[in-house]
């Protein structure tokens, strides 16, 4: 006697889409059934350099929503949005532009007193 190894989806969606991925599993009764594994989460990426941010769990959006805020981000400015290198560059750039403005102002004042 031949065992019927044909499987049918357990949900209404009948197409082999990304959201309908399945895994074959054998039940204790010896039947083969489809299991629906959850989609893997994605790692948050830096907004500037697009590198993976360290110190974050890879979760789906709904699971992230359920987590506390401290578990979802790194405790610093732009934590969860920029990586440390990009943040350091941004702070340095802001400091240097301010410094440049001050030098220009001082130079203008010096030229005004020289006249």
């Amino acid at each position: 006697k031949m065992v019927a190894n044909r499987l049918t989806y357990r949900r209404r969606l009948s197409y082999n889409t990304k959201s309908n991925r399945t895994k074959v599993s054998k039940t204790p009764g010896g039947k083969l059934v489809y299991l629906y594994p959850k989609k893997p989460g994605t790692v948050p990426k830096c907004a500037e350099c697009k590198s993976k941010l360290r110190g974050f769990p890879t979760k789906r959006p709904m699971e992230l929503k359920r987590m506390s805020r401290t578990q979802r981000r790194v405790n610093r400015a732009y934590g969860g949005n920029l990586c440390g290198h990009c943040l350091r560059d941004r702070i340095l750039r802001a400091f240097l532009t301010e410094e440049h403005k001050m030098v220009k102002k001082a130079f203008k004042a010096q030229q005004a007193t020289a006249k």
Side-chain angles (χ1 to χ4, degrees):
K1 187 177 171 186
M2 240 173 80
V3 181
N5 281 343
R6 285 192 188 171
L7 295 170
T8 54
Y9 286 126
R10 300 163 85 175
R11 296 178 180 170
R12 288 174 189 266
L13 181 59
S14 60
Y15 300 104
N16 187 24
T17 58
K18 218 192 289 188
S19 64
N20 205 27
R21 290 282 153 85
T22 54
K23 180 178 143 187
V24 178
S25 176
K26 192 177 266 189
T27 62
K31 275 174 62 179
L32 294 177
V33 293
Y34 275 141
L35 293 181
Y36 292 90
K38 287 194 161 69
K39 285 198 220 174
T42 54
V43 183
K45 291 173 184 64
C46 174
E48 274 186 29
C49 65
K50 309 297 182 222
S51 65
K52 291 177 182 176
L53 292 177
R54 289 162 299 285
F56 289 92
T58 56
K59 303 273 186 195
R60 297 295 297 159
M62 206 54 209
E63 288 174 328
L64 275 173
K65 207 173 180 183
R66 280 191 216 111
M67 288 163 59
S68 69
R69 194 169 185 163
T70 53
Q71 290 176 317
R72 277 184 280 165
R73 60 181 54 213
V74 173
N75 191 15
R76 65 160 177 256
Y78 294 98
N81 192 25
L82 292 179
C83 66
H85 300 294
C86 292
L87 180 61
R88 191 184 305 140
D89 291 345
R90 189 175 276 204
I91 291 168
L92 196 62
R93 196 180 317 125
F95 175 74
L96 289 173
T97 52
E98 285 299 313
E99 196 76 7
H100 185 67
K101 281 180 195 171
M102 297 293 282
V103 169
K104 270 173 69 175
K105 201 174 187 182
F107 185 71
K108 242 184 192 175
Q110 193 180 19
Q111 278 196 336
T113 54
K115 281 187 180 178

